[in-house]
Amino acid sequence: ETGVTQTPRHLVMGMTNKKSLKCEQHLGHNAMYWYKQSAKKPLELMFVYNFKEQTENNSVPSRFSPECPNSSHLFLHLHTLQPEDSALYLCASSQGTGSSYNEQFFGPGTRLTVL
Amino acid sequence: RKEVEQDPGPFNVPEGATVAFNCTYSNSASQSFFWYRQDCRKEPKLLMSVYSSGNEDGRFTAQLNRASQYISLLIRDSKLSDSATYLCAVPGIGGGADGLTFGKGTHLIIQP
């Protein structure tokens, strides 16, 4: 399935590096999301964008900086990360927001390792 | 109460059996509920959406109990390929209106 794609699939970076994760959705959706999945913890919502506007920031540290240039693309810019930020970062999209439109479809994720 | 809580796993079930697990949620105002399936090292895939009392799709049935604030997932005639982690997700919890709050998941192992 290629509804939601993410690149890169794997990333290893040092604590002083700057990198970006990219997500693209081909479903004609208007809302996009970033989630973090760490070992032995549930998926955690990070950011929500609806029609390119950020509608939720779930108390995410500023070393994570999202960008949504249009409804099809979402980026997560990373800088000065910590080893505990190592996790699977998942992008999702939905038709819209609100209870009737909130079926979210996930990309394959970027597995990030911070050394 | 934790925001979204699921039955602890793993559930070890023989092939062909029926298995059910529950998910409790803290926000009584939640209107929609989702079950996702996640295979090892893969992304969650949407399995079922629940907007009213329940939903059925082939061997899978989801039921909602608003009074007790839980949803259940029932799998009939289980297959080896049903082995996975099943995640319950509810929007509108934790201060946000749109993002999903997930449970930790229930790990299901179907044995031949």
Side-chain angles (χ1 to χ4, degrees):
Chain A
E1 295 182 17
T2 59
V4 181
T5 58
Q6 290 186 242
T7 56
R9 296 293 304 277
H10 300 272
L11 178 62
V12 179
M13 59 186 289
M15 289 190 285
T16 58
N17 292 156
K18 289 184 180 181
K19 297 287 185 184
S20 295
L21 310 185
K22 178 183 176 182
C23 175
E24 184 173 359
Q25 60 92 4
H26 311 272
L27 300 170
H29 288 168
N30 298 308
M32 297 187 77
Y33 311 78
W34 280 117
Y35 288 86
K36 173 184 178 182
Q37 188 173 34
S38 305
K40 302 190 186 304
K41 294 178 69 176
L43 273 88
E44 300 171 71
L45 176 70
M46 299 177 73
F47 302 102
V48 180
Y49 279 82
N50 192 28
F51 289 98
K52 303 188 302 178
E53 299 298 320
Q54 187 180 123
T55 58
E56 287 185 48
N57 176 337
N58 198 24
S59 302
V60 180
S62 60
R63 58 186 183 270
F64 295 90
S65 175
E67 178 189 0
C68 189
N70 55 61
S71 293
S72 299
H73 294 86
L74 185 65
F75 296 88
L76 188 63
H77 304 299
L78 316 171
H79 64 98
T80 59
L81 294 193
Q82 305 299 311
E84 59 265 28
D85 296 322
S86 298
L88 180 67
Y89 288 85
L90 290 157
C91 173
S93 71
S94 64
Q95 182 180 351
T97 58
S99 60
S100 299
Y101 305 98
N102 206 5
E103 291 184 344
Q104 295 181 23
F105 297 88
F106 285 82
T110 295
R111 191 161 296 279
L112 174 67
T113 302
V114 181
L115 301 176
Chain B
R1 171 194 277 184
K2 292 181 182 177
E3 294 174 333
V4 179
E5 194 164 5
Q6 296 188 236
D7 282 354
F11 281 43
N12 289 279
V13 175
E15 188 177 9
T18 295
V19 60
F21 24 84
N22 292 335
C23 167
T24 57
Y25 58 94
S26 61
N27 185 359
S28 60
S30 295
Q31 295 294 314
S32 54
F33 309 86
F34 305 94
W35 282 104
Y36 283 82
R37 171 199 169 120
Q38 186 172 27
D39 293 290
C40 186
R41 302 185 73 81
K42 296 291 185 82
E43 74 274 23
K45 291 188 186 297
L46 183 64
L47 181 64
M48 298 189 77
S49 305
V50 182
Y51 296 106
S52 57
S53 61
N55 194 4
E56 183 173 335
D57 182 6
R59 297 183 295 109
F60 297 83
T61 300
Q63 290 187 316
L64 171 63
N65 185 317
R66 288 193 186 277
S68 300
Q69 292 181 217
Y70 75 85
I71 55 172
S72 61
L73 180 66
L74 179 81
I75 306 175
R76 290 180 297 276
D77 187 23
S78 54
K79 313 290 185 190
L80 295 176
S81 57
D82 294 334
S83 297
T85 297
Y86 291 84
L87 306 174
C88 171
V90 184
I93 290 180
D98 304 320
L100 295 175
T101 298
F102 283 82
K104 286 188 175 182
T106 297
H107 188 40
L108 175 64
I109 301 170
I110 305 299
Q111 296 174 326

